[in-house]
Amino acid sequence: MSRPVLEVGAVVRHGGREWTVAGLETATACGPRIWLADPQQADALAVFDLTELLGDSSFELPGAGPRLRVPQMGLLSTVSEEQRWRAFSIERHIREVETGCAVPGGDGPVDPRYDPASTTLAERERAKAEELMSQGWKNVSRATVRRWRARYRSGGVWGLGSVFKDQPGGGSWCRGTSS
């Protein structure tokens, strides 16, 4: 038996409702989109970002079997190289704030500004915001660093995607950009 395919005419479930795939767009500025029609209402049409829809726990392709978890590297291949660079860059900064080392298992000396043995988390967050601002990042505050840490904790590197997802060009906080 073959697995069902997500194609025009396929039946899917999302948000507790059954939908029919009315269209798929791959070449959009914001990434691939999917058009879903409600078979119960002739004029009900919904458009979703395909990546978001596939990541939504309420999405289901009937007959597809259990959902497989995609490694974060697979998910990150769906965004631009610039966005991956930003996410991995922020990850290094978060690690430095939380552990004192920007890379896992770092053996080198710890920057005194980020040494957990001699500074509080609030002091490290503030120091990181100041460091990034001095390097040309825009609008980075202690609260920004705290939000990055929360997103990283809940979703890993992929969780950092929400930082720039809805902001063309990466938003005003990114190095070298302005909104």
Side-chain angles (χ1 to χ4, degrees):
M1 181 171 112
S2 63
R3 292 180 65 93
V5 177
L6 187 60
E7 61 188 356
V8 173
V11 175
V12 299
R13 287 193 195 102
H14 174 63
R17 295 169 64 184
E18 203 164 88
W19 300 85
T20 301
V21 177
L24 293 163
E25 289 181 285
T26 57
T28 69
C30 298
R33 296 189 312 177
I34 186 168
W35 296 67
L36 300 179
D38 185 340
Q40 305 301 318
Q41 299 176 353
D43 58 349
L45 188 66
V47 181
F48 295 93
D49 173 89
L50 184 59
T51 306
E52 281 185 34
L53 183 68
L54 294 175
D56 189 315
S57 62
S58 74
F59 176 78
E60 179 183 350
L61 186 57
R67 292 178 65 124
L68 303 174
R69 287 192 51 94
V70 178
Q72 287 191 350
M73 284 306 295
L75 291 171
L76 289 171
S77 69
T78 65
V79 298
S80 73
E81 184 176 336
E82 179 184 0
Q83 290 172 325
R84 280 192 301 275
W85 178 88
R86 285 189 201 118
F88 285 124
S89 177
I90 292 170
E91 178 187 39
R92 285 188 300 276
H93 292 298
I94 291 167
R95 282 187 181 143
E96 190 169 33
V97 167
E98 292 184 345
T99 68
C101 297
V103 294
D107 294 330
V110 174
D111 183 325
R113 297 175 297 175
Y114 306 113
D115 187 352
S118 61
T119 58
T120 66
L121 183 56
E123 290 169 331
R124 296 191 307 270
E125 289 171 340
R126 190 174 304 107
K128 181 54 70 178
E130 290 170 2
E131 174 191 349
L132 293 174
M133 291 290 286
S134 73
Q135 291 176 0
W137 291 59
K138 307 291 183 210
N139 302 325
V140 178
S141 66
R142 177 179 166 227
T144 305
V145 175
R146 196 173 38 234
R147 282 191 299 274
W148 289 347
R149 288 183 50 247
R151 288 180 178 135
Y152 183 70
R153 259 193 325 274
S154 69
V157 176
W158 182 249
L160 296 172
S162 64
V163 172
F164 49 76
K165 185 173 79 174
D166 296 325
Q167 300 176 16
S172 61
W173 56 267
C174 294
R175 179 184 354 196
T177 65
S178 61
S179 55

